[in-house]
Amino acid sequence: MHLTPRENERLTIFTAAELARRRLARGAKLGAVEATALVCDEVLEWAWDGLSLEEVVSRAREIVRPESLLPGVAAAVPRIEVEALFPYGSTLVHIEAPFGPPGEVVRTPDSEIELAAGRERRELTVVNRGQRPLWISSHFPLEKANSALELDRELAAGCRLDIPAGASVEFPPGQPRTVSVVAR
């Protein structure tokens, strides 16, 4: 059997989600990986079933209760983003605080860290011509962004948004937004 990379990812998420379900069934607490996989698995299935984006996001926050998590997981996973296939096409589902508000803060050293040091940067104007807000995550190849986003794809080729890993930018419908992009 030959599987596409996307099918392989889907099966990996399903397997990790099944592990999470087994652990929850016996009363064990979840770590970040299996808790995230469980949320992603449910989101992907609800999208497949044709629920609205708003309903999927709303339900996603109720899948894993904070008391079912190991200490520090809610703080370690401030958001989840998963590309889901809805009946109208693929959409990046962005779930802020999927396990409730983080109860603890993870501190990093006070020194500044330059991200993507030495790489070429440029500005790019993006307009969402669709009817729903769209999100682009930190390392998504801009030239492959949703076709509802109007941008100079030739200029965007080989670039990603110039934001920290794991972050994303929202593009509300009809509002031009100039963003900094960086070579991948």
Side-chain angles (χ1 to χ4, degrees), residues 132-154:
R132 300 181 180 87
L134 295 173
W135 294 81
I136 297 180
S137 58
S138 58
H139 286 71
F140 192 83
L142 288 174
E143 69 273 14
K144 296 180 180 177
N146 188 305
S147 61
L149 293 175
E150 181 181 287
L151 62 130
D152 184 340
R153 292 183 189 268
E154 192 172 307

Side-chain angles (χ1 to χ4, degrees), residues 23-94:
R23 287 183 177 170
L24 286 174
R26 65 175 196 267
K29 295 190 181 287
L30 301 179
V33 172
E34 60 266 26
T36 301
L38 181 55
V39 172
C40 290
D41 185 62
E42 294 295 335
V43 164
L44 293 170
E45 288 304 305
W46 291 330
W48 183 264
D49 292 343
L51 272 62
S52 71
L53 176 62
E54 294 77 18
E55 190 171 356
V56 167
V57 171
S58 174
R59 285 184 176 194
R61 291 191 179 102
E62 299 173 3
I63 295 171
V64 180
R65 306 312 249 162
E67 59 271 15
S68 300
L69 299 170
L70 289 170
V73 170
V77 186
R79 73 189 60 82
I80 294 176
E81 295 175 333
V82 59
E83 187 176 334
L85 181 60
F86 287 84
Y88 52 81
S90 292
T91 298
L92 182 64
V93 179
H94 179 94

Side-chain angles (χ1 to χ4, degrees), residues 10-21:
R10 180 67 187 101
L11 292 174
T12 300
I13 290 171
F14 171 78
T15 302
E18 282 300 301
L19 175 65
R21 290 182 186 101

